[in-house]
Amino acid sequence: MSDPLVDYLRQCCLRVVGQRPGCGFFIAPQLVVTCAHVVGRDCEMGTLIELQERDAAAAPPGQGELVGLLPDEDVALLKTSISHAAYAPISAEVRVEHGTLIGLGFTAADKFDQFTAEYEGPTEYLGASGRREVKFKGGQVEPGYSGGPLLNLNTCRVLGVVRTTRDKNEPEGGRAVEVPVVERLLQVCNLSLPAIDPKWTDAEAKQREGSALELGQLTLGQLRAALQQPNTERIEELSRSLGKNQNAIR
């Protein structure tokens, strides 16, 4: 059985043909995030980077204009002239229990692939930069995954941008740029993200439907409503009425 959330996330991805071709994904209708080393760490603002849709039948975005770059942190932002129908929410929230991760990327010119991994923890770099990355294990990260999304199936949000592998020939996992780095670049560029795409919320609701039934026979409609406006009061209310702890409700 297919995973509706992963299926939707695949629609957010495209191939970024920069200095080292890799992946990118929409975090807003006209905004793509990828790795700096994919587009080129020395690229100038305004450089146009070729973008290729994974579905040849889809309207191609053509090119993306480089509007943000942090070479040391290895993240870049591209703006497209055409709005894209699908975009993914990003979140710095990480929950380690059942921390299954899904990564997507273009491992060859004609192959769009995915790997499954497990959240392991942060990697901290000593020195003035104070840089941190997400470390994960158990997935085989081949060349071409760089710039792709790393989805946390527990939180149903993208927690990072895949940056590097620990072994391209073995399932040893890799590292990803943390979402706070992306958020910092957005602030530098004076850019903001839209509300979560309702289609993403629907996909999330379908994925959580089975769990919701275990939490007191919530209907799919009730779950959608809760996901659209999650708040502490609603979580506490469900916790009391269903007799479940608040972490389980979340």
Side-chain angles (χ1 to χ4, degrees), residues 22-23 69 84 111 140 160 162 177 186 199 242 250:
C23 186
L69 184 69
H84 199 263
K111 186 165 67 172
Q140 185 172 347
V162 177
V177 178
L186 287 167
K199 296 189 294 295
L242 301 177
R250 288 190 184 96

Side-chain angles (χ1 to χ4, degrees), residues 199-215:
K199 296 189 294 295
W200 178 280
T201 304
D202 283 347
E204 180 181 349
K206 290 175 183 177
Q207 176 161 318
R208 293 186 185 270
E209 185 176 9
S211 297
L213 293 175
E214 295 178 2
L215 291 174

Side-chain angles (χ1 to χ4, degrees), residues 13-25 32-41 43 47-54 60-66 76 78 80 105-111 144-148:
C13 296
L14 38 66
R15 191 165 185 260
V16 180
V17 189
Q19 287 187 7
R20 295 174 61 184
C23 186
F25 62 100
V32 174
V33 64
T34 186
C35 282
H37 76 261
V38 170
V39 299
R41 296 179 190 272
C43 271
T47 299
L48 297 179
I49 307 295
E50 183 183 352
L51 304 176
Q52 297 177 350
E53 281 280 5
R54 67 182 185 87
Q63 295 176 317
E65 178 187 357
L66 183 64
L78 303 172
T80 64
F106 295 83
T107 56
D110 61 348
K111 186 165 67 172
Y145 279 115
S146 292

Side-chain angles (χ1 to χ4, degrees), residues 151-174:
L151 174 67
N152 186 334
L153 284 179
N154 191 18
T155 63
C156 295
R157 298 290 183 271
V158 174
L159 67 84
V161 182
V162 177
R163 192 186 79 79
T164 187
T165 183
R166 290 154 79 176
D167 189 329
K168 66 181 180 180
N169 297 313
E170 298 292 337
E172 298 293 334

Side-chain angles (χ1 to χ4, degrees), residues 231-246:
N231 57 66
T232 302
E233 291 182 0
R234 178 59 175 155
I235 290 169
E236 291 177 351
E237 176 188 342
L238 287 171
S239 178
R240 289 193 300 271
S241 63
L242 301 177
K244 301 288 184 179
N245 67 56
Q246 293 185 29

Side-chain angles (χ1 to χ4, degrees), residues 72-84:
D72 293 338
E73 288 84 352
D74 203 7
V75 65
L77 293 173
L78 303 172
K79 186 175 182 180
T80 64
S81 59
I82 299 175
S83 293
H84 199 263

Side-chain angles (χ1 to χ4, degrees), residues 36-155:
H37 76 261
V38 170
V39 299
R41 296 179 190 272
D42 56 351
C43 271
E44 297 181 356
M45 291 300 102
T47 299
L48 297 179
I49 307 295
E50 183 183 352
L51 304 176
Q52 297 177 350
E53 281 280 5
R54 67 182 185 87
D55 183 0
Q63 295 176 317
E65 178 187 357
L66 183 64
V67 295
L69 184 69
L70 291 176
D72 293 338
E73 288 84 352
D74 203 7
V75 65
L77 293 173
L78 303 172
K79 186 175 182 180
T80 64
S81 59
I82 299 175
S83 293
H84 199 263
Y87 56 93
I90 58 176
S91 172
E93 181 183 17
V94 176
R95 300 195 193 119
V96 296
E97 69 271 16
H98 310 297
T100 300
L101 310 177
I102 299 293
L104 299 173
F106 295 83
T107 56
D110 61 348
K111 186 165 67 172
F112 182 50
D113 212 344
Q114 71 182 63
F115 65 82
T116 301
E118 182 181 349
Y119 176 80
E120 191 168 13
T123 295
E124 298 184 7
Y125 292 84
L126 304 181
S129 69
R131 186 160 60 93
R132 285 163 51 105
E133 293 178 340
V134 174
K135 183 170 69 170
F136 55 92
K137 61 183 180 180
Q140 185 172 347
V141 185
E142 303 173 59
Y145 279 115
S146 292
L150 188 64
L151 174 67
N152 186 334
L153 284 179
N154 191 18
T155 63

